């Protein structure tokens, strides 16, 4: 046992994990003893390498080092994508090549009262009953578990499979940077098994496309704070947030929309000035918290506090059974603002935000439980003469994606804002009768003892982009159950990791 621990600690140190504490090592021992041990070993290593999107190079280098350590053909392209190839098992050399694919970056989300630096701090991963989760931050099981499964396959020489390659892309969560940078010739596979799905027992054969919408407006920051006004900080928090694709159908509250709904009513009811507002952070995470600084006449303070409490009660009543407890509060601002937003700009912004659609907008007729088109009002910043709002819109229909994009653009052009589009990516077109789908449906029946549910995912996967580079590659996606990805409540169900991994191994033997 001592020798095993010595090897384990050495492996962690080699991945620049010099900041581990004794408690970290205990948690490492505990998590890496879960089954399949190879999968959890690699996953834990990934949790200890800071890897938020745009800062995931160390994680990519780690993946590359695994391939090299195993003596396998390993390549990294200029953006940080890694491909590792493993020869076929003896006697299976004539099989088609299978590509296992995942991404190494993670969404950095935390509760406001948590001190965590995603660029420098490891994830505090821990076992919690039937799940592994983090301590009030995202866990990174999306897509660390998928990458860990692929690396475990590379390590195990007892498996039976045809020629394999593992593709680990970088910076998927913001703009799918790695997938968009793939060049012809980097991949050689005939079939792609994407390991970035988040519900055990489901097979995905298509996904939505998306586009980022970036709105900006500048105004003269010259309007002074009225004399005698009281600066107040209004805070909205307690929302569950979640993945703007995978959770958008659940009807959860969007902190930005709820804050501006409140502000519109507050401006109409009180002599209220708006100094600043901030809410949300990431394009693919439903915003959980928002803060606004306002200035109020002193004689209206008590009535305003009652008004805030009435809205808090209203929101909790409306979202009963969907959210846990929404908190809307006001207190003296820590720092008094020097200026406020001109009233005509304030009203234009409030009305534009109120007019924008948010959440699930339409559903697919053939898959009535699957969202077709959605919008996530992801982040807003208003202060110092600048207003910015960022959306991520998704649809499995290119025409409806364009329709929604145009509607949001028109709303903000009416108030004089500039609107730019970025990161536009196509959806993954379903091929329900492809060979790889039929084979894996058969393996699923044998593994799970029931018929598979074949689905189209509203969340974005890299399959559509990879399909553009490899148009003849057949694709399917699956993975273990990950609840509440892109939020601090993210957790992965332990038993489903073993289920998905065993399903993967049986599929590789059969394809």
């Amino acid at each position: 046992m001592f020798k095993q621990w010595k090897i384990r600690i050495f492996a962690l140190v080699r991945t620049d994990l010099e900041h581990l504490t004794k408690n970290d090592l205990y948690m490492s021992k505990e998590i890496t003893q879960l089954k399949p041990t190879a999968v959890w070993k690699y996953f834990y290593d990934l949790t200890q390498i800071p890897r938020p999107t745009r800062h995931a190079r160390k994680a990519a280098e780690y993946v590359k080092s695994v391939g090299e350590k195993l003596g396998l053909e390993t390549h990294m392209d200029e953006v940080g994508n890694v491909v590792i190839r493993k020869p076929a098992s003896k006697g299976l050399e004539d099989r088609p090549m299978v590509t296992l694919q995942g991404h190494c970056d993670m969404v950095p989300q935390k509760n406001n009262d948590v001190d965590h630096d995603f660029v420098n701090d490891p994830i505090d991963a821990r076992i919690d009953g039937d799940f592994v989760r983090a301590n009030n931050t995202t866990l990174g099981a999306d897509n660390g578990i998928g990458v860990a499964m692929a690396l475990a396959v590379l390590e195990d020489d007892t498996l039976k499979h045809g020629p394999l390659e593992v593709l680990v892309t970088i910076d998927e969560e913001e703009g799918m940077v790695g997938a968009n940078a793939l060049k012809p010739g980097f991949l050689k596979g005939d079939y792609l098994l994407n390991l970035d799905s988040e519900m055990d027992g489901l097979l995905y054969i298509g996904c939505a496309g998306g586009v980022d919408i970036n709105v900006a407006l500048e105004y003269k920051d010259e309007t002074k704070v009225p004399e005698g006004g009281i600066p107040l900080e209004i805070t909205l928090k307690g929302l569950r947030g979640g993945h703007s694709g995978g959770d958008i159908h659940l009807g959860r509250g969007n902190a930005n929309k709820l804050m501006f709904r409140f502000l519109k009513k507050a401006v109409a009811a009180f002599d209220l000035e708006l100094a600043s507002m901030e809410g949300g952070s990431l394009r693919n995470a439903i915003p959980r918290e928002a803060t606004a600084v306002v200035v109020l006449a002193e004689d209206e303070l008590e009535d305003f506090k009652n008004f805030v409490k009435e809205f808090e009660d209203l929101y909790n009543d409306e979202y009963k059974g969907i959210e846990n407890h929404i908190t809307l509060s006001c207190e003296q601002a820590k720092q008094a603002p020097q200026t406020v937003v001109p009233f005509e700009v304030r009203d234009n912004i409030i009305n534009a935000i109120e007019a924008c659609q948010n959440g699930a907008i339409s559903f697919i007729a053939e898959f009535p439980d699957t969202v077709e088109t959605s919008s996530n009002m992801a982040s807003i910043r208003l202060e110092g003469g600048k207003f910015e709002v960022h959306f991520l819109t998704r649809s499995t229909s290119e025409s409806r994606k364009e329709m929604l994009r145009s509607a949001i653009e028109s709303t903000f052009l009416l108030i004089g804002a500039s609107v730019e589009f970025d990161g536009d990516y196509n959806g993954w077109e379903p091929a329900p009768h492809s060979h790889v789908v039929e084979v894996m449906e058969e393996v699923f029946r044998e593994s799970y003892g029931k018929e598979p549910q074949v689905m189209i995912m509203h969340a974005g996967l890299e399959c559509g982009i990879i399909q553009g580079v490899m148009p003849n590659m057949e694709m399917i996606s699956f993975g273990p159950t990950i609840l509440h990805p892109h939020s601090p409540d993210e957790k992965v169900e332990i038993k489903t990791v073993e289920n998905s991994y065993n399903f993967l191994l049986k599929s590789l033997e059969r394809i």
Side-chain angles (χ1 to χ4, degrees):
M1 177 62 71
F2 173 77
K3 184 178 291 185
Q4 291 176 345
W5 261 108
K6 189 173 182 180
I7 294 171
R8 176 70 185 141
I9 294 171
F10 175 72
L12 292 175
V13 170
R14 285 196 61 189
T15 55
D16 297 326
L17 309 180
E18 67 280 355
H19 39 263
L20 286 176
T21 65
K22 290 181 179 179
N23 184 59
D24 290 325
L25 291 176
Y26 172 73
M27 297 309 300
S28 169
K29 179 181 179 182
E30 196 173 61
I31 289 176
T32 57
Q33 287 181 345
L34 296 172
K35 294 184 181 302
T37 53
V39 174
W40 288 106
K41 173 191 70 174
Y42 284 119
F43 176 68
Y44 188 82
D45 281 0
L46 286 168
T47 67
Q48 298 304 287
I49 303 172
R51 53 191 177 93
T53 304
R54 310 292 181 177
H55 299 276
R57 187 76 182 205
K58 283 187 178 180
E61 293 286 354
Y62 167 77
V63 170
K64 178 172 176 283
S65 74
V66 170
E68 293 171 341
K69 181 180 177 182
L70 294 173
L72 301 175
E73 178 188 348
T74 303
H75 304 280
M76 176 183 279
D77 67 15
E78 58 270 22
V79 300
N81 296 316
V82 179
V83 68
I84 305 170
R85 295 192 178 91
K86 181 181 180 182
S89 305
K90 187 175 181 180
L92 301 179
E93 293 85 357
D94 60 344
R95 294 273 188 93
M97 178 173 283
V98 175
T99 305
L100 307 183
Q101 190 264 322
H103 62 87
C104 63
D105 60 312
M106 64 173 283
V107 169
Q109 286 280 280
K110 68 182 184 69
N111 292 323
N112 275 351
D113 56 354
V114 175
D115 183 16
H116 186 91
D117 179 358
F118 283 96
V119 175
N120 297 298
D121 297 340
I123 296 299
D124 183 7
R126 53 186 61 191
I127 297 173
D128 181 7
D130 296 329
F131 295 86
V132 170
R133 66 184 308 151
N135 183 22
N136 291 307
T137 72
T138 37
L139 173 65
D142 173 14
N143 181 230
I145 279 289
V147 172
M149 288 169 59
L151 296 180
V153 168
L154 292 178
E155 178 185 293
D156 192 344
D157 288 331
T158 69
L159 303 179
K160 294 182 180 179
H161 54 75
L164 290 179
E165 66 180 4
V166 168
L167 169 66
V168 177
T169 53
I170 197 165
D171 294 340
E172 183 264 0
E173 298 289 4
E174 291 185 25
M176 300 195 179
V177 172
N180 278 310
L182 288 173
K183 294 181 179 179
F186 194 64
L187 298 179
K188 297 181 179 179
D190 299 285
Y191 303 118
L192 183 134
L193 309 187
N194 172 275
L195 305 176
D196 193 16
S197 297
E198 293 156 359
M199 188 58 64
D200 181 46
L202 300 183
L203 302 178
Y204 291 93
I205 60 169
C207 73
V211 61
D212 296 325
I213 303 176
N214 306 311
V215 177
L217 175 69
E218 294 189 3
Y219 60 90
K220 291 184 178 180
D221 186 32
E222 300 173 345
T223 306
K224 299 299 182 182
V225 174
E227 291 185 12
I230 301 174
L232 299 173
E233 184 172 277
I234 305 168
T235 302
L236 176 70
K237 62 182 182 180
L239 295 167
R240 297 178 67 182
H243 193 299
S244 69
D247 295 323
I248 203 75
H249 66 290
L250 298 176
R252 293 176 181 171
N254 179 302
N256 293 325
K257 288 289 287 184
L258 294 183
M259 178 61 81
F260 272 91
R261 177 182 170 187
F262 167 80
L263 289 173
K264 182 172 183 178
K265 294 295 185 182
V267 166
F270 296 91
D271 185 15
L272 188 74
E273 300 283 356
L274 176 61
S276 64
M277 187 273 173
E278 180 176 352
S281 57
L282 299 174
R283 55 187 275 285
N284 50 12
I286 301 169
R288 300 173 297 109
E289 300 176 349
T291 303
V293 174
V294 302
V295 179
L296 184 75
E298 186 173 2
D299 60 357
E300 294 185 309
L301 182 57
E302 289 306 313
D303 289 340
F304 184 73
K305 287 182 178 179
N306 293 331
F307 185 79
V308 170
K309 184 63 171 66
E310 289 173 5
F311 256 84
E312 181 184 71
D313 293 341
L314 174 67
Y315 287 156
N316 280 293
D317 182 61
E318 288 184 350
Y319 286 91
K320 187 182 300 181
I322 299 174
E323 299 287 355
N324 293 323
H325 180 71
I326 302 171
T327 300
L328 183 66
S329 62
C330 72
E331 60 183 19
Q332 185 87 19
K334 298 178 180 66
Q335 185 174 354
Q338 299 300 307
T339 59
V340 294
V341 181
F343 74 88
E344 68 275 11
V345 176
R346 175 201 66 193
D347 292 347
N348 282 342
I349 289 173
I350 289 175
N351 287 325
I353 294 296
E354 277 282 85
C356 282
Q357 295 184 81
N358 183 78
I361 294 168
S362 62
F363 289 77
I364 301 174
E366 296 85 355
F367 297 85
D369 294 328
T370 302
V371 177
E372 177 193 63
T373 307
S374 74
S375 174
N376 180 45
M377 188 181 290
S379 65
I380 297 179
R381 301 290 181 273
L382 171 63
E383 187 176 21
K386 292 184 179 180
F387 165 68
E388 294 182 350
V389 56
H390 302 278
F391 297 81
L392 173 55
T393 60
R394 306 177 191 260
S395 185
T396 54
S397 164
E398 284 298 305
S399 62
R400 291 208 176 189
K401 185 176 75 173
E402 170 58 31
M403 177 186 69
L404 179 58
R405 179 169 79 167
S406 178
I408 293 173
E409 178 187 37
S410 296
T411 300
F412 287 99
L413 289 178
L414 287 172
I415 69 168
S418 64
V419 183
E420 295 182 350
F421 308 108
D422 188 31
D424 195 346
Y425 61 94
N426 293 333
W428 165 25
E429 185 175 350
H433 303 298
S434 68
H435 175 69
V436 70
V437 171
E438 291 177 347
V439 168
M440 293 188 68
E441 284 180 323
E442 181 180 336
V443 175
F444 186 96
R445 294 184 194 100
E446 296 173 5
S447 301
Y448 289 86
K450 60 182 180 180
E451 286 294 318
Q453 287 183 271
V454 180
M455 309 285 288
I456 296 174
M457 180 184 292
H458 186 61
L461 294 173
E462 294 160 291
C463 298
I465 298 171
I466 297 172
Q467 199 171 54
V469 181
M470 303 285 288
N472 296 320
M473 181 181 271
E474 296 183 9
M475 303 179 178
I476 195 167
S477 179
F478 63 95
T481 297
I482 302 172
L483 301 179
H484 319 305
H486 298 195
S487 85
D489 296 324
E490 180 187 3
K491 56 184 179 181
V492 57
E493 190 174 12
I494 295 167
K495 69 179 181 181
T496 66
V497 174
E498 186 169 15
N499 290 347
S500 292
Y501 188 63
N502 289 337
F503 174 58
L504 169 61
L505 300 187
K506 290 178 182 178
S507 298
L508 291 177
E509 188 172 349
R510 192 73 59 85
I511 295 174

